[in-house]
Amino acid sequence: MQSRQLNRRQYFNELATTSEKYFIPYIKRYRQVGKGTKVLEIGCGDGGNLLPFSRMGCDVVGVDMAEGRIRDARKFFQENGAKGRFIASDVFLLKELRHQFDLIVCHDVIEHIDDKEEFMHKCKQLLKTRGGNFHVLSCLADAFRWASADMPKPLPLAPAFLSPASDEIV
């Protein structure tokens, strides 16, 4: 086990740095992100990925099924003077979150989902009805990307666009 897996604050900070340096610039290639952007992270853990979004003025919500991780997220955000809402639940049970978000981020989550297609369709219900973006940021995406000679390395990101006009996942 690595020290960052035992030291939650270190892991939080590493995720925040990764999000700021890599995830956000990548996402900005596809959409505006800034003040007022409503961002949801599914499987947010300690919330580190959301910290840079919060600092940019985004309205951030993190959902994770692990209550301990949500407690840590609230604590770390408070310590950093950041704003965010964190909920311990299955995100798909939270009806009040439907059609609320401009952007959904999943980092190292999709590989733990059995029915990935159903998961993606459920995520679409969380995006605003005028459409939004859903980005899967995953070590599983790394495996697919690095296995293909046609895809650039080492960018470990895979976007999934959920069109509001169709049920297709692109």
Side-chain angles (χ1 to χ4, degrees):
M1 188 172 280
Q2 298 176 348
S3 66
R4 68 188 189 92
Q5 293 165 314
L6 299 173
N7 182 340
R8 301 312 301 179
R9 183 169 282 105
Q10 177 186 350
Y11 189 59
F12 173 88
N13 290 332
E14 287 177 5
L15 288 176
T17 299
T18 298
S19 191
E20 182 176 17
K21 290 173 103 176
Y22 303 104
F23 297 167
I24 291 172
Y26 178 79
I27 291 167
K28 282 184 169 183
R29 291 168 50 188
Y30 298 95
R31 66 159 297 116
Q32 283 283 96
V33 179
K35 186 174 171 93
T37 303
K38 295 188 180 295
V39 180
L40 169 67
E41 184 177 12
I42 298 173
C44 70
D46 301 326
N49 288 316
L50 289 174
L51 183 63
F53 288 99
S54 177
R55 287 180 173 159
M56 294 169 59
C58 297
D59 298 324
V60 301
V61 176
V63 179
D64 199 291
M65 292 173 60
E67 289 184 32
R69 295 291 168 250
I70 292 298
R71 274 193 304 276
D72 286 345
R74 290 175 183 145
K75 176 183 167 187
F76 294 151
F77 260 61
Q78 184 177 18
E79 289 173 356
N80 282 277
K83 293 180 181 178
R85 179 177 171 212
F86 294 94
I87 305 165
S89 178
D90 176 334
V91 70
F92 301 116
L93 298 178
L94 302 171
K95 303 299 182 206
E96 70 273 15
L97 296 184
R98 284 189 169 194
H99 307 294
Q100 297 297 310
F101 298 96
D102 300 302
L103 174 65
I104 300 173
V105 175
C106 277
H107 177 224
D108 289 343
V109 170
I110 195 89
E111 61 270 26
H112 302 287
I113 305 296
D114 290 329
D115 189 343
K116 290 165 183 47
E117 188 170 347
E118 179 66 17
F119 175 78
M120 298 290 277
H121 285 289
K122 285 182 176 180
C123 286
K124 183 176 178 178
Q125 297 171 359
L126 300 170
L127 292 170
K128 289 183 177 178
T129 54
R130 65 173 171 71
N133 293 113
F134 174 78
H135 289 266
V136 176
L137 311 168
S138 174
C139 61
L140 183 65
D142 291 350
F144 288 126
R145 185 171 303 277
W146 294 340
S148 171
D150 297 328
M151 301 181 102
K153 292 194 268 186
L155 192 62
L157 309 173
F161 299 100
L162 304 176
S163 167
S166 106
D167 286 333
E168 288 187 32
I169 300 168
V170 180

